[in-house]
Amino acid sequence: MNLTINDTTKKIKETILNQIQEGIDYPYLYSVITFGFYDNYGIKLPISEIRKYWDKTEVKKTCRLIYNMLKEHFNMDGVWMFIERHTPLLNEDGEVIREGRFHLNIISSSIKDSAIEEPNRKVRRLMLENGRFDIPIENNVYKDLDELKIELFNACCKRANWVNRYKYSIKTQMLYEPTDLESATYYCLKDYDGKSNVDFTDIVVFEASDFYKP
């Protein structure tokens, strides 16, 4: 039986979801990272730096950097990176004048309790970073361990220069249910719809993800 384009697209998305959820305990983390034009002091970054936000090769370098830092700090079981473009700039006729810059979607396993209860040297250093209210993470009061894990995850990602230079550059939440993970995964892959010229290989950053080859 020949599969249609839509059938193939659906099958690939299901395969990606199944690989992400295989052997990993809930909850997961889902994070959106945006690269901003200004630093934390409101000073605009040089054009030479901003231009890289449109360069897929440069963006993938940042993906690999964040992937490696998350693994080194927390020894996470799984990290999966997806790149996405912002909405393009259109003219009056609806034609694309300029493609949008890239931003990142990250799905990962949660940080293990032991990584916080018995922190390694790298995590202890993260505890000294400013969290909410611009005070060190270790001095903040969190309602539960999950909230602290999100704060540490964000602090780790902010070690990458592009993330650290924009105050609201990262937003992270917990995914507690399989339906949450499914929704987040399919959102990351929404531009791969079988209708446009975007392939899933244009979205998934395999070199910075824990996908395995069958």
Side-chain angles (χ1 to χ4, degrees), residues 87-102:
T87 303
L89 179 64
L90 306 177
N91 62 19
E92 294 178 354
D93 298 321
E95 299 169 333
V96 175
I97 299 175
R98 185 177 66 180
E99 292 286 358
R101 70 190 189 275
F102 288 106

Side-chain angles (χ1 to χ4, degrees), residues 83-121:
I83 58 176
E84 180 184 354
R85 282 193 183 275
H86 286 267
T87 303
L89 179 64
L90 306 177
N91 62 19
E92 294 178 354
D93 298 321
E95 299 169 333
V96 175
I97 299 175
R98 185 177 66 180
E99 292 286 358
R101 70 190 189 275
F102 288 106
H103 62 275
L104 308 182
N105 292 294
I106 304 174
I107 296 175
S108 76
S109 58
S110 184
I111 298 170
K112 299 182 182 70
D113 291 356
S114 59
I116 296 176
E117 295 166 349
E118 300 177 9
N120 59 30
R121 177 174 50 86

Side-chain angles (χ1 to χ4, degrees), residues 11-35:
K11 182 66 175 176
I12 289 174
K13 287 184 176 182
E14 289 175 348
T15 299
I16 289 172
L17 172 62
N18 289 338
Q19 286 200 19
I20 290 174
Q21 64 185 355
E22 185 174 342
I24 304 291
D25 293 329
Y26 284 84
Y28 285 71
L29 287 163
Y30 170 58
S31 184
V32 180
I33 294 179
T34 304
F35 309 136

Side-chain angles (χ1 to χ4, degrees), residues 48-64:
S48 59
E49 189 72 10
I50 292 174
R51 190 178 293 120
K52 295 177 182 177
Y53 301 166
W54 280 262
D55 187 330
K56 185 180 289 187
T57 299
E58 293 294 333
V59 172
K60 285 186 174 182
K61 288 180 183 178
T62 293
C63 289
R64 290 194 296 271

